[in-house]
């Protein structure tokens, strides 16, 4: 970003006779990360951002926004008085987006949006100057922040969009005004707040609400909920998935522990490889490849980009236990779709020893919690997983379902405050050539168990 303070006034439609000639080279809302050249936005969170302006000044900001209902500030740095800080943040982002005028690719989905965002950015960067959402800054703060911090020479902006309520993605889409909108899949994440997968699909479809008229909608064609809703979208469409009715699909998938290779219908002569496990990640790659194809990226360039990929937040991570056993850690997020995907991927991986699984409660599933926890039972069998350890109130339902498949000395259940007992049991049982999965919502805190094992 590069902008004079007087341009900020103009962009926000604020008139002033006394504007200092200050150059702005970035924006921030966290005073701890403020730096020279930044314009500070004192956003309202658990605490009022105005409380941290002095800290931001000490860290070198060039100017700050100030909300008019607060006491007039000192003049240590220039300040811009606005009626609402959040609205000013979004309006400046809209202005700067039009000024730089990159192609915008917006990505959402119940699972895989961060990985897909990274894959798209990697593929498109083979022939474009690309900026993307840092980490998973995908909400009302993260999207404007991403826009305002993109370099002035950005040709493509890849924006991730998350949601936890209806209308949120519509709002984010209005800010970003995408040229390509991507939906990775529809799962059960946040179903507690939406009630049904159909309502989740409705909310995800908001990503096309502000899609440019000549834009393209890219989505998972294996999902009936999306196929049905896509009929109402007038813009061009392209689908990816597992089945041959999609525009792009994988014809061969070869799973591995740390990599997955695959072929596709469009470029059958090429072997593609991604540095991660799981057929679900192949679908994320297919979505990114469709965006690449629309952007005229050569398939050989996409092939190399995917092979060299570094993912922002690959929550599924291989680690080693103290005794040498392999640990597949995914302890910060879980929902039924994600759990089933990682279980199925683990089944396909060849190991020399046993496979053990530790599953913690999947939170925020609302009234569907019992049914959705029980639904994992059809994906867990003795021939695939030698022992099962379950943690949390809802996992009792899964235990009850699995009791017909497993002997009592192979199926264990723990209260969520019994992690110490679980850890002791795992240390007694885990053998050097075993492979063990730890997966659960962050509220169960399986990371504490992981720490003790490693």
């Amino acid at each position: 970003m590069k902008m004079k303070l007087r341009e900020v006034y103009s962009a926000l439609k604020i008139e002033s006779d006394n504007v200092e000639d200050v150059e702005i080279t970035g924006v921030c809302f966290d005073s701890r990360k403020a730096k020279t050249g930044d314009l500070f936005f004192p956003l309202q969170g658990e605490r009022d951002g105005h409380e941290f302006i002095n800290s931001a000044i000490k860290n070198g900001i060039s100017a700050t926004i100030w909300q008019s209902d607060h006491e007039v500030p000192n003049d240590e740095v220039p300040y811009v008085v606005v009626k609402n800080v959040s609205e000013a943040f979004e309006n400046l982002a809209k202005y700067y987006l039009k000024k730089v005028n990159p192609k915008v690719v917006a990505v959402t989905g119940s699972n895989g949006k961060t990985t897909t965002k990274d894959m798209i950015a990697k593929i498109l960067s083979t022939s474009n100057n690309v900026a993307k959402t840092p980490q998973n800054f995908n909400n009302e703060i993260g999207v404007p922040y991403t826009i305002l911090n993109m370099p002035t020479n950005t040709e493509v902006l890849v924006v991730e969009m998350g949601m936890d309520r209806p209308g949120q993605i519509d709002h984010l889409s209005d800010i970003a005004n995408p040229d390509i909108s991507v939906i990775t899949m529809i799962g059960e994440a946040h179903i507690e707040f939406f009630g049904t997968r159909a309502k989740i699909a409705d909310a995800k479809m908001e990503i096309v609400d502000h899609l440019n008229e000549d834009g393209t909608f890219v989505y998972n064609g294996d999902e009936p909920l999306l196929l049905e809703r896509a009929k109402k979208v007038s813009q061009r469409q392209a689908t990816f998935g597992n089945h041959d009715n999609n525009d792009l699909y994988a014809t061969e998938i070869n799973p591995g522990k740390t990599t997955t290779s695959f072929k596709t219908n469009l470029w059958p002569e090429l072997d593609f490889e991604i540095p991660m496990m799981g057929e679900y990640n192949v679908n994320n790659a297919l979505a990114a490849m469709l965006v690449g194809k629309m952007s005229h990226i050569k398939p050989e360039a996409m092939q190399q980009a995917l092979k060299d990929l570094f993912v922002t937040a690959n929550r599924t991570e291989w680690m080693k236990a103290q005794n040498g056993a392999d640990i597949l850690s995914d302890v910060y997020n879980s929902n039924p779709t994600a759990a089933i995907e990682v279980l199925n991927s683990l089944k396909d991986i060849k190991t020399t020893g046993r496979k053990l699984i530790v599953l913690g409660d999947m939170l925020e599933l609302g009234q569907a919690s019992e049914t959705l926890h029980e639904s994992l039972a059809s994906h867990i069998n003795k021939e695939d997983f030698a022992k099962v350890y379950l943690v949390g109130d809802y996992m009792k339902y899964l235990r009850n379902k699995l009791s017909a498949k497993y002997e009592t000395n192979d199926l264990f259940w723990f209260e969520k405050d019994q992690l110490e007992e679980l850890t002791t049991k795992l240390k007694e049982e885990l053998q050097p050539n075993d492979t063990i999965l730890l997966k659960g919502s962050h509220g169960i805190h399986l990371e504490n168990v992981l720490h003790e094992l490693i």
Side-chain angles (χ1 to χ4, degrees):
M1 181 182 183
K2 194 172 183 181
M3 192 182 294
K4 294 287 188 179
L5 191 60
R6 69 170 68 92
E7 189 176 357
V8 174
Y9 273 88
S10 176
L12 298 179
K13 297 180 171 56
I14 299 172
E15 294 184 6
S16 177
D17 297 328
N18 184 25
V19 181
E20 296 188 41
D21 194 27
V22 173
E23 186 168 87
I24 304 300
T25 56
V27 301
C28 67
F29 56 86
D30 185 339
S31 63
R32 297 165 296 183
K33 298 178 181 178
K35 60 185 184 300
T36 302
D38 277 353
L39 172 64
F40 182 68
F41 281 83
L43 297 168
Q44 182 75 42
E46 292 182 4
R47 293 175 63 181
D48 188 339
H50 291 77
E51 298 176 28
F52 303 100
I53 289 181
N54 287 335
S55 173
I57 291 172
K58 289 178 182 178
N59 283 334
I61 60 170
S62 295
T64 185
I65 301 293
W66 197 279
Q67 195 158 292
S68 57
D69 59 0
H70 287 63
E71 186 178 345
V72 176
N74 60 42
D75 56 359
E76 288 186 57
V77 297
Y79 56 89
V80 181
V81 178
V82 300
K83 290 183 178 180
N84 184 287
V85 174
S86 295
E87 289 180 6
F89 194 45
E90 293 176 3
N91 288 336
L92 188 61
K94 289 181 180 180
Y95 169 85
Y96 185 62
L97 184 64
K98 289 181 180 178
K99 178 181 178 180
V100 177
N101 195 31
K103 174 188 283 188
V104 178
V105 182
V107 184
T108 194
S110 298
N111 293 304
K113 52 186 174 290
T114 301
T115 299
T116 304
K117 173 258 300 183
D118 287 335
M119 288 175 166
I120 292 171
K122 185 70 174 179
I123 285 173
L124 298 185
S125 66
T126 60
S127 61
N128 299 275
N129 292 322
V130 177
K132 66 176 182 177
T133 298
Q135 301 170 40
N136 61 343
F137 277 35
N138 59 21
N139 60 10
E140 291 88 345
I141 295 175
V143 171
Y145 176 83
T146 298
I147 293 170
L148 287 167
N149 280 288
M150 69 175 167
T152 54
N153 66 345
T154 299
E155 295 171 300
V156 181
L157 178 66
V158 187
V159 183
E160 179 181 333
M161 296 182 180
M163 67 167 202
D164 57 20
R165 63 188 182 278
Q168 187 172 15
I169 289 183
D170 172 79
H171 183 66
L172 299 178
S173 180
D174 179 49
I175 296 171
N177 193 212
D179 298 285
I180 300 176
S181 293
V182 181
I183 299 181
T184 61
M185 56 90 69
I186 304 299
E188 301 85 4
H190 303 303
I191 200 167
E192 178 181 10
F193 308 113
F194 291 90
T196 65
R197 288 182 72 251
K199 290 183 178 178
I200 293 174
D202 289 336
K204 293 296 184 187
M205 285 295 297
E206 292 171 6
I207 200 167
V208 301
D209 287 355
H210 302 277
L211 177 64
N212 283 330
E213 288 185 10
D214 60 351
T216 306
F217 177 35
V218 176
Y219 63 97
N220 189 322
D222 295 338
E223 174 54 72
L225 290 171
L226 291 178
L227 286 170
E228 177 186 345
R229 286 157 177 77
K231 293 175 183 176
K232 299 179 182 179
V233 178
S234 60
Q235 290 91 334
R236 287 176 299 171
Q237 300 178 22
T239 63
F240 62 90
N242 298 320
H243 304 132
D244 60 10
N245 59 320
N246 289 293
D247 296 305
L248 181 62
Y249 57 90
T251 54
E252 295 178 26
I253 298 178
N254 298 303
K257 181 178 171 183
T258 57
T259 63
T260 305
S261 62
F262 61 97
K263 289 181 177 290
T264 68
N265 61 308
L266 293 185
W267 306 287
E269 73 283 1
L270 294 179
D271 286 306
F272 292 90
E273 181 181 287
I274 52 176
M276 56 191 70
M277 63 176 286
E279 187 173 321
Y280 57 97
N281 279 315
V282 172
N283 264 353
N284 296 333
L286 294 174
M289 292 163 71
L290 266 183
V291 175
K293 180 176 181 290
M294 293 166 195
S295 304
H296 310 292
I297 306 298
K298 293 181 179 179
E300 293 80 7
M302 292 194 275
Q303 180 189 40
Q304 191 62 47
L306 289 174
K307 187 174 183 179
D308 295 340
L309 179 71
F310 175 80
V311 180
T312 296
N314 188 10
R315 293 190 177 102
T316 305
E317 182 180 9
W318 284 103
M319 308 181 82
K320 281 284 185 184
Q322 285 180 335
N323 70 349
D326 288 326
I327 302 175
L328 182 56
S329 168
D330 192 354
V331 296
Y332 293 106
N333 184 43
S334 191
N335 58 62
T337 302
I340 290 168
E341 286 172 342
V342 76
L343 286 169
N344 289 339
S345 295
L346 185 57
K347 286 178 191 177
D348 294 335
I349 294 174
K350 295 179 181 178
T351 60
T352 56
R354 303 174 302 167
K355 295 175 185 176
L356 288 63
I357 56 174
V358 180
L359 300 176
D361 275 355
M362 302 177 292
L363 304 178
E364 297 184 353
L365 298 180
Q367 294 180 348
S369 289
E370 179 177 348
T371 302
L372 290 174
H373 280 79
E374 289 177 340
S375 71
L376 300 187
S378 60
H379 300 271
I380 301 172
N381 297 292
K382 191 74 167 65
E383 56 267 28
D384 298 312
F385 307 113
K387 291 182 182 289
V388 179
Y389 303 83
L390 305 172
V391 185
D393 295 339
Y394 297 119
M395 279 296 168
K396 278 193 290 190
Y397 301 121
L398 178 57
R399 178 197 61 181
N400 295 340
K401 281 286 185 180
L402 291 176
S403 60
K405 298 182 179 182
Y406 283 82
E407 302 292 335
T408 54
N409 59 342
D410 293 326
L411 176 63
F412 305 91
W413 174 80
F414 298 85
E415 298 275 7
K416 61 182 179 181
D417 61 358
Q418 291 182 310
L419 296 185
E420 189 173 336
E421 291 89 333
L422 169 62
T423 303
T424 300
K425 187 71 177 173
L426 291 175
K427 285 185 174 181
E428 292 173 354
E429 183 63 43
L430 199 60
Q431 299 172 10
N433 61 344
D434 284 343
T435 299
I436 185 169
L437 166 69
L438 274 68
K439 184 168 181 64
S441 291
H442 191 206
I444 303 302
H445 296 295
L446 288 181
E447 71 273 12
N448 297 329
V449 177
L450 174 66
H451 177 75
E452 292 300 318
L453 290 179
I454 64 175

